[in-house]
Amino acid sequence: MFQKYHIATFITMHIPLKFILLPFLAFGVAGATAQSVSYNELRNKLKVENGKLYTLDGGRPTEAEIDSVRTLMSDFYFDQFRHFDDPDAPYFMFMSRDANLSMGIGGSIRIKTWYEWDGALPVNGLFPSYIPIPTDPARQKHLGANASGTELFFKIIGNQKVLGEYKLYIQAGFSGYDNVDFKLKKAYATLRNVTVGYATSTFSDPVALAPDFDAAGVNSKIDQTRVLVRYMPTFKEKYTFAVSAEYPSKASVQSTDGKTEATTQYMPDFAAFMQYGWAPGNHVRLSGIIRTLGYRNLLTSRNHNVTGWGVQLSTAANLHPQLEFFGTVNYGRGMSGITNDFLAGNYDLVGDPVASPGVLYAPRSFGWSAGLQYSIRHDLFLSGAFSQTRYLPSHQEASDAYKYGLYAFGLIGYDLTPRIMLAGQFTWGMRHNMDGAHKAARRVEFVALFNF
């Protein structure tokens, strides 16, 4: 059962890091030389032009006002933190008569069904860390369906003489308990270069992830939403810098038989990035984060803090009007609690077997993803990606502990209309344990997406 996957295992274990990093930089440089309008930009333009604009006093908007609002809606698709599966620009736009205030109301209805065989996962997404080894005989096959990901949002764009341009954004979806509870996803305000509220972490780069409809996504993904304060200026329309203070998530502390426990957080996480962008939606970015991870040694009755940190190199680059490359590489200590495939476990702080009892340390982790999107036409595209996440503790772990996971997918998407998409996806994942045992999981899923 384990022998047929040795090729994938060999590739991910023996390719030197420099051969993973170099393509990211090369594709970024190659993309910077491509000046043609991409098929993705054409798709987005059709969606914007498909919308309807109304003035709040019932008057008829002028052509200049329509063009102005369409320009604002085009910017919607080039948000630094917008992922492919976020809602499209709103179909309905309302504007004040003086054109100083506009409001968009939109959302999406997403219906998804999937089928798994040769072992089923206990979660909706294909997370390699959740793959059971050995397979549960009671969960050999599984057919799932839900409307999770159905969302509503409001976006307000205003201009005030003293404050300048400001934006307000609220997004919520039916993805809470049992996939039906209404759950807040984002709520923030942006005034010039400052963002305050519940927004995507500065350490995340969802633009650098290939289009994917699986509920999990690539297993090396870092895509957190947090209450934060962010300053993000852009210079010469190409250079963007950002720094933020973010409300931290509680450290995920490994159980040590009553010897330790996580403490409450009292220091924010600090994140920052430097980015070079040569066209809307195209960039190379270097990000970093520092975390304060607290725990209490119950044997000595003392609290301790361990510094966690992470770095990420990411890019999205149009290599050709029909072809786009996506890539991320991340590495750090104590950053497992914000990495996709580690969220199910407690890997931020783990026991140190060579130190005194009750002492924890922050282990290392490493992940990468590489993907492509090829547009056959502006309304028909293919995408796919491969990713890996590795757990790199300094000391020996239990034989059945997670060692690394692999994830790959292939997707075909078709825009039936500018607002209706049909898609099919095949997803494959594999979990490897410390003792060499490994198991793969597979699923096919189909999605119908209606944006308004």
Side-chain angles (χ1 to χ4, degrees):
M1 176 177 66
F2 301 145
Q3 299 301 316
K4 57 184 177 181
Y5 301 113
H6 279 183
I7 294 178
T9 303
F10 177 85
I11 291 174
T12 56
M13 289 184 66
H14 297 282
I15 294 180
L17 177 59
K18 63 181 180 181
F19 292 117
I20 296 176
L21 292 175
L22 286 176
F24 287 43
L25 299 176
F27 284 135
V29 172
T33 64
Q35 302 297 324
S36 302
V37 176
S38 71
Y39 277 39
N40 276 337
E41 290 181 78
L42 294 177
R43 291 179 68 242
N44 295 336
K45 182 180 179 181
L46 289 174
K47 292 176 183 179
V48 171
E49 293 177 348
N50 182 252
K52 301 296 182 182
L53 174 63
Y54 303 92
T55 56
L56 295 177
D57 61 1
R60 184 181 180 87
T62 66
E63 288 299 321
E65 290 171 340
I66 292 175
D67 290 340
S68 176
V69 171
R70 283 179 174 172
T71 298
L72 292 174
M73 287 302 97
S74 295
D75 292 341
F76 186 92
Y77 289 102
F78 302 121
D79 184 302
Q80 293 282 356
F81 301 101
R82 184 181 187 277
H83 188 264
F84 166 79
D85 62 358
D86 282 336
D88 285 335
Y91 182 78
F92 299 103
M93 286 293 299
F94 301 90
M95 183 178 65
S96 63
R97 191 56 188 165
D98 61 6
N100 285 329
L101 182 69
S102 59
M103 178 177 68
I105 302 174
S108 62
I109 298 173
R110 180 182 304 180
I111 309 299
K112 180 166 64 174
T113 182
W114 67 92
Y115 177 72
E116 297 173 322
W117 66 98
D118 191 25
L121 276 69
V123 289
N124 287 337
L126 202 162
F127 295 87
S129 58
Y130 276 98
I131 298 174
I133 302 176
T135 302
D136 183 349
R139 296 185 59 86
Q140 290 291 330
K141 301 176 182 179
H142 177 65
L143 176 67
N146 62 41
S148 178
T150 297
E151 298 177 329
L152 294 171
F153 72 89
F154 296 85
K155 185 168 187 175
I156 296 174
I157 302 174
N159 199 305
Q160 207 271 343
K161 290 183 179 180
V162 177
L163 298 178
E165 185 178 278
Y166 61 89
K167 300 176 184 178
L168 307 175
Y169 186 74
I170 298 175
Q171 179 182 343
F174 296 90
S175 57
Y177 177 73
D178 204 25
N179 299 305
V180 294
D181 281 3
F182 201 51
K183 177 182 178 182
L184 181 67
K185 297 188 71 174
K186 295 178 183 178
Y188 62 84
T190 299
L191 176 59
R192 296 189 180 183
N193 297 323
V194 178
T195 296
V196 180
Y198 188 54
T200 303
S201 169
T202 303
F203 191 54
S204 300
D205 190 3
V207 176
L209 301 173
D212 182 5
F213 276 118
D214 182 60
V218 296
N219 63 335
S220 62
K221 179 174 68 174
I222 296 175
D223 188 14
Q224 303 292 305
T225 305
R226 296 173 164 190
V227 176
L228 54 78
V229 177
R230 174 166 53 227
Y231 178 64
M232 190 175 73
T234 297
F235 303 95
K236 299 182 179 180
E237 299 183 350
K238 292 184 177 181
Y239 304 95
T240 302
F241 302 88
V243 60
S244 65
E246 307 180 1
Y247 186 82
S249 55
K250 189 175 181 180
S252 55
V253 177
Q254 188 180 79
S255 174
T256 53
D257 299 324
K259 298 174 184 177
T260 59
E261 65 178 1
T263 59
T264 54
Q265 302 292 89
Y266 66 92
M267 283 289 291
D269 291 350
F270 295 99
F273 72 68
M274 300 182 297
Q275 173 179 297
Y276 172 72
W278 55 92
N282 291 255
H283 66 257
V284 174
R285 178 186 297 181
L286 179 62
S287 312
I289 191 170
I290 295 177
R291 311 177 67 203
T292 300
L293 308 171
Y295 76 95
R296 182 171 180 80
N297 187 327
L298 299 177
L299 301 180
T300 62
S301 299
R302 295 184 62 183
N303 292 348
H304 300 271
N305 290 312
V306 178
T307 299
W309 57 269
V311 292
Q312 177 167 269
L313 177 66
S314 54
T315 186
N318 286 323
L319 307 180
H320 181 272
Q322 294 175 260
L323 184 64
E324 187 166 2
F325 172 77
F326 307 88
T328 64
V329 179
N330 51 64
Y331 175 81
R333 285 186 177 273
M335 57 177 280
S336 303
I338 59 175
T339 305
N340 209 22
D341 213 18
F342 292 114
L343 297 179
N346 296 312
Y347 298 102
D348 278 340
L349 295 175
V350 300
D352 188 339
V354 301
S356 302
V359 174
L360 303 180
Y361 77 101
R364 297 173 298 141
S365 62
F366 169 69
W368 63 273
S369 68
L372 294 170
Q373 178 183 354
Y374 178 73
S375 297
I376 301 172
R377 305 187 315 223
H378 71 272
D379 58 355
L380 179 65
F381 71 90
L382 306 172
S383 71
F386 189 88
S387 71
Q388 179 191 33
T389 297
R390 297 186 69 91
Y391 177 48
L392 303 170
S394 301
H395 308 288
Q396 186 174 357
E397 294 279 335
S399 61
D400 62 349
Y402 175 98
K403 183 177 183 181
Y404 67 90
L406 307 174
Y407 179 98
F409 76 89
L411 178 148
I412 181 169
Y414 173 62
D415 289 327
L416 191 62
T417 73
R419 296 283 172 173
I420 301 176
M421 175 184 286
L422 303 177
Q425 179 170 329
F426 172 76
T427 310
W428 173 89
M430 176 182 284
R431 169 177 172 145
H432 278 248
N433 286 345
M434 291 292 178
D435 62 1
H438 52 279
K439 182 69 176 65
R442 308 164 191 80
R443 68 164 53 179
V444 291
E445 47 196 314
F446 300 94
V447 178
L449 182 64
F450 307 85
N451 288 289
F452 60 88

